[in-house]
Amino acid sequence: MGKAKNLQTGHVGLNVTDLARSLAFYREVFDFEVLAEGKDSDRRWAFLGRGSQLQVTLWEQSGGAFTTDLPGLHHLSFQVDSIEEVRATEEVLRGLGAGFSYDGVVPHGENGASGGIFFTDPDGIRLEIYAPTGADPADAPTSGAPTCGFF
């Protein structure tokens, strides 16, 4: 058999502590549709996406908060077409009281054109929304290293 050909990322599954809270957050920030949902008291989950494409699954099966000091997910990143979309999402996040790692749009590297915003969801999961071009070339928050790796 051998190696998988034409491999693509399918969807990302996230453990959350409060499905209703996370569902509201991900729908508001990412404009996801609920494609399917489990509402049994001991098995709560939601499949989120756009159209028929599944992108994120939420599973209410954890307690506490996301920790960055253990192996596992570092951050989840979403690409949009323009820096204006990044800034519009930033405004939505500010209205929701989301926590940001950096102030506003930052470049991915020193004087880079790609850049985005880095923030957390209600459980502290680190997220990024970026555009491949349009970031103001400037000093990156972490010199000599990718910004997205050190937040």
Side-chain angles (χ1 to χ4, degrees), residues 38 42 49 69 76 94 114 124 139 147:
D42 63 336
D69 63 346
L76 178 55
R94 290 199 186 281
S114 68
D139 292 339
T147 299

Side-chain angles (χ1 to χ4, degrees), residues 4 19 24 28 39 47 64 81 88 91 96-97 109 117 127 147:
L19 182 64
E28 179 72 20
K39 298 180 181 184
F47 287 5
D81 291 334
E91 290 306 311
L96 293 172
I117 54 175
L127 301 166
T147 299

Side-chain angles (χ1 to χ4, degrees), residues 42-62:
D42 63 336
R43 291 182 177 252
R44 295 178 42 79
W45 52 270
F47 287 5
L48 307 176
R50 293 186 178 160
S52 62
Q53 184 177 354
L54 177 62
Q55 294 181 303
V56 172
T57 61
L58 302 176
W59 305 91
E60 186 181 282
Q61 55 186 23
S62 62

Side-chain angles (χ1 to χ4, degrees), residues 4 6 23 38 56 97 105-106 111 129:
N6 300 318
L23 191 54
V56 172
V105 174
V106 296
N111 295 307
I129 295 179

Side-chain angles (χ1 to χ4, degrees), residues 2-151:
K3 300 176 185 174
K5 296 181 181 179
N6 300 318
L7 187 64
Q8 300 178 54
T9 300
H11 67 273
V12 176
L14 301 173
N15 281 336
V16 299
T17 59
D18 182 331
L19 182 64
R21 178 182 69 176
S22 293
L23 191 54
F25 178 86
Y26 281 87
R27 290 187 75 193
E28 179 72 20
V29 173
F30 297 101
D31 199 28
F32 284 141
E33 303 164 22
V34 177
L35 304 178
E37 188 173 4
K39 298 180 181 184
D40 292 343
S41 62
D42 63 336
R43 291 182 177 252
R44 295 178 42 79
W45 52 270
F47 287 5
L48 307 176
R50 293 186 178 160
S52 62
Q53 184 177 354
L54 177 62
Q55 294 181 303
V56 172
T57 61
L58 302 176
W59 305 91
E60 186 181 282
Q61 55 186 23
S62 62
F66 181 77
T67 181
T68 60
D69 63 346
L70 295 174
L73 178 72
H74 183 276
H75 74 285
L76 178 55
S77 177
F78 294 91
Q79 179 179 322
V80 295
D81 291 334
S82 71
I83 213 72
E84 290 77 25
E85 289 176 82
V86 174
R87 288 191 176 105
T89 305
E90 178 186 9
E91 290 306 311
V92 169
L93 288 161
R94 290 199 186 281
L96 293 172
F100 288 85
S101 298
Y102 307 115
D103 187 29
V105 174
V106 296
H108 280 138
E110 292 294 305
N111 295 307
S114 68
I117 54 175
F118 300 85
F119 58 98
T120 57
D121 82 349
D123 287 303
I125 297 171
R126 297 186 298 191
L127 301 166
E128 170 190 11
I129 295 179
Y130 78 96
T133 60
D136 294 329
D139 292 339
T142 54
S143 63
T147 299
C148 66
F150 297 93
F151 73 103

